[in-house]
Amino acid sequence: MTTTARPAPLIELTDVSKRYGNVRALEGVSLEVGAGEITCVLGDNGAGKSTLIKIIAGLHRHDGGVLRVDGEETRLSSPREALDLGVATVYQDLAVVPLMPVWRNFFLGSEPRKGVGPFKRMDIDLMRETTRGELLRMGIDLRDVDQPIGTLSGGERQCVAIARAVHFGAKVLVLDEPTAALGVKQSGVVLKYVAAARDRGLGVVLITHNPHHAYLVGDRFVLLRRGTMVGNHTRDAITLEELTAQMAGGSDLEALRHELARD
């Protein structure tokens, strides 16, 4: 009987560590994300999620352990290098220009041009049509790609950023707390397009502090606390209740309950 070997993960971290002087920001963290999978990284403030993002995005180099992209060991030295390898990061602030139209933000920094010599200019028609088409391919039907992106809801702006990363060739999408500042309905919209990116074959790293959002879409769950990994589970190995308890601190929360109980 022959078994089909699982393809190498798109991103794989093995015992990765990072220190800033004497401060340990990460210690011995491992995770992997394959094509068409969502790996959720959960933790409260100060858990090490931001440091992990910076390592995967190429902003900071790790001190220890191994980072592999497409099976090749690497030490990313810049966000540009990460992008060239197909790793795109969408941060919470999204880095958009609110007064510019949606299509201009979609191509910001990568504007196609037409003409030659001194007559070279931005191909506005192409950018409008491409933006509209790419958003529709992700299932995003905006009223008008000429409207300023600042007039969109927070969830819609997140979705535009996801579609942009897909269009520019991302193989791995790292999302930094995409639902943190959103209500229930807008969070659902964003999670829908996170799942759409997964269904198009991307590997997704979803950073969040919300176990309910993570469990809705996640295939794997990595839990961080004070820079260390306290859990690494596949979806079929943990329930939402167990995930929430581990995220909340488990025994620490139980001890606090006893401390706060009335006599």
Side-chain angles (χ1 to χ4, degrees), residues 7-136:
L10 297 176
I11 285 278
E12 184 178 14
L13 279 70
T14 306
D15 292 328
V16 164
S17 302
K18 178 66 182 177
R19 289 179 178 268
Y20 300 101
N22 293 325
V23 177
R24 182 194 67 180
L26 278 184
E27 187 68 42
V29 173
S30 299
L31 69 80
E32 63 179 59
V33 57
E37 290 182 352
I38 298 175
T39 296
C40 300
V41 180
L42 300 102
D44 282 326
N45 293 337
K49 303 191 303 296
S50 295
T51 301
L52 184 65
I53 287 175
K54 289 171 183 174
I55 290 172
I56 297 174
L59 282 166
H60 292 177
R61 287 190 171 193
H62 55 288
D63 300 324
V66 175
L67 166 63
R68 293 185 178 89
V69 179
D70 267 340
E72 295 292 325
E73 184 174 344
T74 185
R75 280 183 181 269
L76 298 172
S77 58
S78 70
R80 180 77 262 171
E81 184 182 356
L83 277 171
D84 289 343
L85 291 174
V87 181
T89 303
V90 177
Y91 294 98
Q92 235 175 305
D93 60 12
L94 297 179
V96 297
V97 183
L99 295 179
M100 283 186 177
V102 173
W103 62 263
R104 186 69 194 274
N105 275 279
F106 193 92
F107 280 93
L108 199 60
S110 303
E111 295 86 351
R113 297 181 180 275
K114 63 181 179 180
V116 294
F119 302 105
K120 209 166 190 181
R121 62 195 186 280
M122 290 193 302
D123 194 339
I124 294 173
D125 290 338
L126 175 63
M127 286 190 278
R128 281 192 179 118
E129 289 306 312
T130 302
T131 300
R132 187 177 292 109
E134 285 299 312
L135 292 177
L136 283 172

